Amino acid sequence: MADSQQLDIDEIVRDSFNLEDAIQLTDKLSQLEPEEVAIALEAMPLEQRVSAWLSLPPEEQIAALTYMRVDARANVFKQLTEQQLKTLVEEMDVDDLIELLDELPPAIYDYACSRLDVSQRRWLDTALTYDDEQCGRFADHNMLIINKNAKVRDALRLFRELAADTEYHEALFVVDRNGCYVGLVHATQLLGLTDFQAIENIIDQDAPWIEGEVALDQASDMVSRSGYNALAVVDENHKLLGRLSISRAFDIVRRNLENQFMLTAGLDEDEDLFSPVIASAKRRALWLGINLLTAFLAAWTIGLFEATLNQVVALAVLMPVVASMGGIAGSQTLTLIIRGLAMEQITPSTYMALLRKELGVGTLNGILWALVIAVVTYFWFGDWVIGGIIGLAIVINIIVAAISGVMIPIWLKKFNIDPALSGSVILTTVTDVIGFCTFLGLGTLFLLG
Amino acid sequence: MADSQQLDIDEIVRDSFNLEDAIQLTDKLSQLEPEEVAIALEAMPLEQRVSAWLSLPPEEQIAALTYMRVDARANVFKQLTEQQLKTLVEEMDVDDLIELLDELPPAIYDYACSRLDVSQRRWLDTALTYDDEQCGRFADHNMLIINKNAKVRDALRLFRELAADTEYHEALFVVDRNGCYVGLVHATQLLGLTDFQAIENIIDQDAPWIEGEVALDQASDMVSRSGYNALAVVDENHKLLGRLSISRAFDIVRRNLENQFMLTAGLDEDEDLFSPVIASAKRRALWLGINLLTAFLAAWTIGLFEATLNQVVALAVLMPVVASMGGIAGSQTLTLIIRGLAMEQITPSTYMALLRKELGVGTLNGILWALVIAVVTYFWFGDWVIGGIIGLAIVINIIVAAISGVMIPIWLKKFNIDPALSGSVILTTVTDVIGFCTFLGLGTLFLLG
């Protein structure tokens, strides 16, 4: 019995720097699942990644690529010669090709297509009628299909032929003579049946199926909640397109959640740890530019109160406190709402209840921290008026932040803008501008007057 | 054939507000998978949630609770009388109880324990020898176990008795006479075998297994990458404790990723959309307090330059631009590194390569945006010196941000502090303080002197 190992990426990455141990590295990689190979390759700088990947046999090279993030994989492709790419695509089946086609140079893609047989070519064409957010595009063709008029004997033969492949092949997909999906037959149902019993009598018709137009993330949720290993994906005429397996669904959900996290910094989940510097700088520059605009807006707001600042420099010193408290309070509400929207748990009938609750939380915390800040300010600057002004500004800004934290993501979602990406920029702009305006405005009113 | 439905939470939540449609709501909930019921219940305000939940039959009540987030579920428990809680726990099996025990009042928990039979009691005691981050605690006992000396006939009987339950029961877990785990037998392997063949000859010993001490998230990764529906969880003597199924692993990975996202705002994944206001305000207050300390630190830094600000008010106006650009650039690096650490893709042998890359990106973007900001500043204040000062401060701050973005999360991880929670507070403090110091320091040097 082989020892059960946990993945040690650290060790593998270290080996990749050691040119003398190339064979040992290949050995280690070959013992891993393809998903683990992909993770290890992504953890290596480009040079090491390419040479480690080149050392793998072709089928493992392809499997690793299909599991790698888009940028990490594109950075490998860029290092290959045309001949290497051609040799590579010759080994790909249609599912690999659908997954990788966006990163292949057009000439290589055409070459790969020209080598597909008629049925694979038809699958490819069907898949491409769906866009890359729809599950019809990525339905997996690696499945066992049986006609509903078949006998148990035929089902047994299908299972026997695939005995070696353990990846979620415990069910047959049953179709009628038009190729329309009818239901599932599970291996466990066949146990103890005789060869000539009819498949038709044991079909599981309770399993949900998925329309090809359904968004990939919704389809993945359906699979994960269904309790089945894989669900059928069908076209508008109910023809079987392929299946979506739980392991694929898992991957999709994981990437979506990762994406949400990365978006908060204006990145996406495909960002490669070791992207070339210039490519990476270019991609991040836009986000910095957008934020610069909002920073200048905040600066301009402050500029409106130059006369006040000139006379009461304490206000300039305390400005970041007002802006920061509003920003933090707002981002707590925003984050909660973004997660709720992602889970589709925020519905029009509960908008008001949510707003009331967040306003309550904002008011309580606003008053609490306003008092603390007012007292600290008094002891710092020895002036109750400045303390009172900053306290009032804090209460107002935290309440505005609570309202914005609820409303901004809901509005963005209505306009189909991803709130995980743009929510926090907009929110911070609101809390900065409102914070500076109330604080410096109150200062002008009570300290200059 | 039933129509394949997508979950419409919106409609269900709307129904929960309509007291006359109580029966219709219960009907709709009963058609959903337990995970979907949990999602719908979480989307309802507390009052609606409790009455919708109470309308379900006991077994569905329990299933929904086990899928709900901790806070959402605790908020339901708080509304129940002692008698309702007792009735509820009477229906729980040991797996439900292990999942829910932390939210049950101690008296109810003791009552529930007293009602378990001997073997369930033993499972509970074994589970509790592991802590709630280890997979031994949550190993699922709902599995088919067979002795390695058994015959195919016995295996068939086991499968037949469980025919109705489709949730990942396509394999038998094989143990020896001491209860030690030996391997798996898949339903597909049994097809076509005769009753008296020995199980021993067909055991799949390639399937990985998981030690009970392994962390829940690592165990989940192992299941997801293995290609199996469920893996055995064993104790230090290799005795079978239970299994970890792919659907459970899915749930754990999803919650971990959600948690990472929520932590960036000082929340956690258990945060209930409709927590009572006071409980919610209390929980968020701490995070605001920590951020207040850092904001006062930034304010104190500015305070060191009061004399300068008094003479050159333009510096006060432009301060937020310097701080904001550093913060954003830093959080891009930070987010990339946090994801890398979570995937265990960041290893000591690549620290320097990462630092070099991020320094390169920071230098490029620093110079680019410093030039833009210098020019804008010149046109705004008509002063090349201020333009030069802010440009230089921006370059320095973005480079410091890049270094901090790499180093802070790596250090935090070394001290076992979650970088998703504290990384951004520390980073922003660094970029604020360094930003204000360089900008106002350069201002003092070149504008007062």
Side-chain angles (χ1 to χ4, degrees):
Chain A
M1 205 172 195
D3 200 17
S4 198
Q5 292 175 327
Q6 274 183 268
L7 176 60
D8 187 348
I9 296 175
D10 194 6
E11 188 189 309
I12 294 168
V13 173
R14 217 181 315 119
D15 285 349
S16 76
F17 280 89
N18 193 341
L19 290 173
E20 287 158 32
D21 283 348
I23 295 168
Q24 198 191 334
L25 174 64
T26 311
D27 266 7
K28 275 186 200 158
L29 288 174
S30 289
Q31 281 166 29
L32 302 178
E33 301 291 335
E35 194 177 339
E36 296 173 327
V37 176
I39 292 172
L41 289 172
E42 285 176 355
M44 297 173 194
L46 288 189
E47 194 186 327
Q48 283 74 20
R49 186 188 297 166
V50 173
S51 58
W53 177 83
L54 280 172
S55 77
L56 296 171
E59 65 276 19
E60 290 176 29
Q61 287 182 340
I62 294 171
L65 287 174
T66 61
Y67 278 103
M68 279 163 84
R69 300 197 184 99
V70 172
D71 288 354
R73 147 209 307 175
N75 285 331
V76 170
F77 280 140
K78 279 186 201 129
Q79 309 293 317
L80 303 181
T81 64
E82 197 181 319
Q83 193 47 53
Q84 284 174 313
L85 282 168
K86 280 192 170 174
T87 317
L88 186 69
V89 298
E90 283 168 13
E91 301 291 326
M92 290 185 189
D93 68 16
V94 63
D95 289 330
D96 300 328
L97 192 58
I98 293 170
E99 177 66 38
L100 301 172
L101 63 84
D102 285 334
E103 288 78 58
L104 289 173
I108 302 294
Y109 171 65
D110 292 339
Y111 174 73
C113 289
S114 73
R115 295 185 50 94
L116 294 176
D117 65 30
V118 181
S119 78
Q120 295 223 320
R121 180 77 221 198
R122 205 181 307 127
W123 278 339
L124 180 65
D125 291 339
T126 311
L128 294 182
T129 62
Y130 296 94
D131 69 38
D132 62 4
E133 309 257 292
Q134 293 179 317
C135 71
R137 164 94 81 147
F138 296 104
D140 162 12
H141 300 98
N142 178 18
M143 65 201 298
L144 306 180
I145 300 173
I146 196 166
N147 192 288
K148 72 169 179 166
N149 298 321
K151 303 287 177 205
V152 165
R153 187 186 50 179
D154 308 308
L156 294 179
R157 203 183 45 238
L158 269 175
F159 276 122
R160 228 171 358 247
E161 283 165 7
L162 254 120
D165 193 341
T166 52
E167 194 119 329
Y168 309 113
H169 285 301
E170 296 90 353
L172 304 176
F173 290 81
V174 187
V175 294
D176 66 16
R177 59 187 175 161
N178 299 317
C180 290
Y181 171 72
V182 182
L184 296 176
V185 166
H186 306 281
T188 48
Q189 291 178 286
L190 296 172
L191 294 170
L193 297 188
T194 57
D195 274 6
F196 291 96
Q197 283 180 274
I199 286 295
E200 204 163 2
N201 298 331
I202 55 168
I203 299 173
D204 168 9
Q205 296 184 335
D206 290 338
W209 65 90
I210 310 170
E211 310 273 350
E213 291 91 29
V214 172
L216 210 47
D217 51 349
Q218 285 180 314
S220 304
D221 284 339
M222 287 176 74
V223 174
S224 94
R225 292 168 191 161
S226 70
Y228 287 87
N229 297 330
L231 297 182
V233 180
V234 301
D235 73 6
E236 67 281 13
N237 302 317
H238 215 69
K239 257 182 90 160
L240 184 62
L241 294 174
R243 63 168 197 164
L244 185 64
S245 71
I246 183 141
S247 83
R248 187 63 194 264
F250 205 136
D251 210 43
I252 292 163
V253 168
R254 194 200 297 255
R255 275 167 202 239
N256 275 340
L257 284 164
E258 232 185 75
N259 203 33
Q260 209 178 44
F261 177 72
M262 298 292 277
L263 279 177
T264 58
L267 305 171
D268 68 38
E269 109 276 10
D270 283 317
E271 182 82 19
D272 184 354
L273 270 178
F274 295 100
S275 285
V277 169
I278 292 179
S280 186
K282 232 194 236 169
R283 211 169 317 159
R284 296 194 206 167
L286 177 66
W287 188 243
L288 284 164
I290 293 170
N291 277 280
L292 180 59
L293 284 179
T294 75
F296 269 127
L297 185 62
W300 174 79
T301 313
I302 300 170
L304 299 176
F305 300 94
E306 267 195 60
T308 313
L309 288 170
N310 232 332
Q311 293 188 42
V312 196
V313 77
L315 296 181
V317 173
L318 290 167
M319 284 188 317
V321 176
V322 180
S324 155
M325 290 303 275
I328 296 291
S331 80
Q332 292 189 317
T333 303
L334 179 76
T335 305
L336 188 70
I337 301 294
I338 289 175
R339 186 201 51 177
L341 287 169
M343 302 281 295
E344 296 180 33
Q345 289 183 315
I346 292 184
T347 66
S349 46
T350 55
Y351 286 171
M352 284 312 297
L354 271 174
L355 199 57
R356 262 198 308 275
K357 177 210 152 200
E358 290 298 321
L359 265 178
V361 175
T363 309
L364 280 183
N365 269 324
I367 292 174
L368 169 71
W369 292 110
L371 289 173
V372 172
I373 292 166
V375 170
V376 172
T377 301
Y378 169 71
F379 281 107
W380 190 348
F381 294 97
D383 185 340
W384 272 119
V385 181
I386 297 183
I389 288 170
I390 195 170
L392 192 53
I394 291 278
V395 175
I396 294 173
N397 206 22
I398 289 186
I399 290 176
V400 168
I403 300 172
S404 313
V406 176
M407 302 311 293
I408 290 171
I410 291 177
W411 278 328
L412 287 173
K413 183 95 176 185
K414 276 200 183 129
F415 292 105
N416 273 320
I417 302 172
D418 192 327
L421 176 64
S422 36
S424 76
V425 191
I426 300 179
L427 179 90
T428 323
T429 309
V430 170
T431 52
D432 277 2
V433 169
I434 300 282
F436 293 138
C437 269
T438 42
F439 182 49
L440 299 177
L442 289 169
T444 309
L445 211 62
F446 290 104
L447 295 172
L448 298 193
Chain B
M1 205 172 196
D3 201 17
S4 197
Q5 292 173 326
Q6 272 185 267
L7 177 59
D8 188 348
I9 296 177
D10 195 5
E11 188 189 307
I12 293 169
V13 174
R14 220 181 313 120
D15 285 348
S16 76
F17 280 90
N18 193 340
L19 292 174
E20 289 157 31
D21 283 349
I23 295 168
Q24 199 191 334
L25 175 64
T26 311
D27 266 9
K28 274 186 198 156
L29 288 174
S30 288
Q31 282 166 30
L32 302 177
E33 300 292 334
E35 195 177 339
E36 296 173 328
V37 176
I39 293 172
L41 289 172
E42 285 176 355
M44 297 174 194
L46 287 190
E47 194 187 326
Q48 284 73 21
R49 186 189 296 166
V50 172
S51 56
W53 178 81
L54 281 172
S55 77
L56 296 171
E59 64 277 20
E60 289 177 29
Q61 286 182 339
I62 295 170
L65 286 174
T66 60
Y67 277 104
M68 279 164 81
R69 301 197 184 97
V70 171
D71 288 353
R73 151 209 304 177
N75 285 331
V76 171
F77 280 141
K78 280 186 202 128
Q79 308 294 317
L80 303 182
T81 64
E82 197 181 318
Q83 194 46 53
Q84 283 175 313
L85 283 168
K86 279 190 171 174
T87 318
L88 186 70
V89 298
E90 283 168 13
E91 302 291 325
M92 289 185 189
D93 68 16
V94 64
D95 289 329
D96 301 327
L97 193 59
I98 293 169
E99 177 67 38
L100 300 173
L101 62 87
D102 285 334
E103 287 78 57
L104 289 174
I108 302 295
Y109 171 65
D110 291 339
Y111 175 74
C113 289
S114 72
R115 295 185 49 95
L116 294 176
D117 65 30
V118 182
S119 77
Q120 294 223 321
R121 179 77 223 196
R122 205 182 305 128
W123 276 340
L124 180 65
D125 291 339
T126 312
L128 294 183
T129 61
Y130 296 95
D131 70 37
D132 63 3
E133 310 258 291
Q134 292 179 319
C135 72
R137 164 96 90 157
F138 297 104
D140 161 12
H141 301 98
N142 178 18
M143 64 201 297
L144 306 179
I145 301 173
I146 196 165
N147 192 287
K148 73 169 181 170
N149 298 321
K151 303 287 178 208
V152 164
R153 187 184 51 178
D154 308 307
L156 294 180
R157 204 183 44 238
L158 270 175
F159 275 121
R160 231 177 348 253
E161 284 164 8
L162 253 120
D165 192 342
T166 51
E167 194 119 326
Y168 309 114
H169 285 302
E170 295 90 353
L172 304 175
F173 290 81
V174 188
V175 294
D176 65 18
R177 59 184 178 162
N178 299 316
C180 290
Y181 171 73
V182 181
L184 296 176
V185 166
H186 306 281
T188 47
Q189 292 178 286
L190 297 171
L191 295 170
L193 296 189
T194 57
D195 274 6
F196 292 95
Q197 282 180 276
I199 286 294
E200 203 164 5
N201 299 331
I202 56 168
I203 299 174
D204 169 9
Q205 298 184 334
D206 290 337
W209 66 88
I210 310 171
E211 310 273 350
E213 292 91 29
V214 172
L216 211 45
D217 52 347
Q218 285 181 315
S220 304
D221 283 339
M222 286 175 74
V223 174
S224 95
R225 291 166 192 163
S226 70
Y228 288 87
N229 297 330
L231 297 183
V233 180
V234 301
D235 73 5
E236 69 279 15
N237 302 316
H238 216 68
K239 257 182 90 161
L240 184 62
L241 295 174
R243 62 168 198 165
L244 184 64
S245 70
I246 182 140
S247 82
R248 188 62 194 264
F250 205 137
D251 210 42
I252 292 162
V253 168
R254 193 200 300 255
R255 277 167 200 239
N256 275 340
L257 285 165
E258 232 185 76
N259 203 32
Q260 210 178 44
F261 178 71
M262 298 293 278
L263 279 178
T264 57
L267 305 172
D268 67 39
E269 109 276 12
D270 282 318
E271 182 82 20
D272 184 354
L273 269 179
F274 294 101
S275 284
V277 169
I278 293 179
S280 186
K282 233 192 233 168
R283 211 170 316 159
R284 295 194 207 166
L286 177 67
W287 190 242
L288 284 163
I290 293 170
N291 277 280
L292 180 59
L293 284 179
T294 73
F296 269 127
L297 186 62
W300 174 78
T301 313
I302 299 171
L304 298 177
F305 300 94
E306 267 195 61
T308 314
L309 288 169
N310 233 331
Q311 293 188 42
V312 195
V313 78
L315 295 181
V317 173
L318 290 168
M319 284 188 317
V321 176
V322 181
S324 157
M325 291 302 274
I328 296 292
S331 79
Q332 292 189 317
T333 303
L334 179 75
T335 305
L336 188 70
I337 302 294
I338 289 175
R339 185 199 53 177
L341 287 169
M343 303 280 295
E344 297 181 31
Q345 289 183 315
I346 292 186
T347 66
S349 46
T350 56
Y351 286 171
M352 283 314 295
L354 270 173
L355 198 57
R356 261 199 309 275
K357 176 211 154 200
E358 290 299 320
L359 265 178
V361 174
T363 310
L364 279 184
N365 269 323
I367 292 173
L368 168 71
W369 292 110
L371 289 174
V372 172
I373 292 166
V375 170
V376 172
T377 302
Y378 168 71
F379 281 107
W380 189 349
F381 294 96
D383 185 340
W384 272 118
V385 181
I386 297 184
I389 288 170
I390 196 170
L392 193 52
I394 290 280
V395 175
I396 294 172
N397 206 21
I398 290 185
I399 289 176
V400 168
I403 299 172
S404 313
V406 175
M407 302 310 292
I408 290 171
I410 291 176
W411 279 328
L412 288 173
K413 182 96 177 184
K414 274 198 184 132
F415 292 106
N416 273 320
I417 302 172
D418 192 328
L421 175 64
S422 36
S424 77
V425 191
I426 300 178
L427 178 90
T428 325
T429 309
V430 171
T431 52
D432 276 2
V433 170
I434 300 280
F436 292 138
C437 270
T438 42
F439 182 49
L440 299 176
L442 289 169
T444 309
L445 211 63
F446 290 104
L447 295 172
L448 299 191

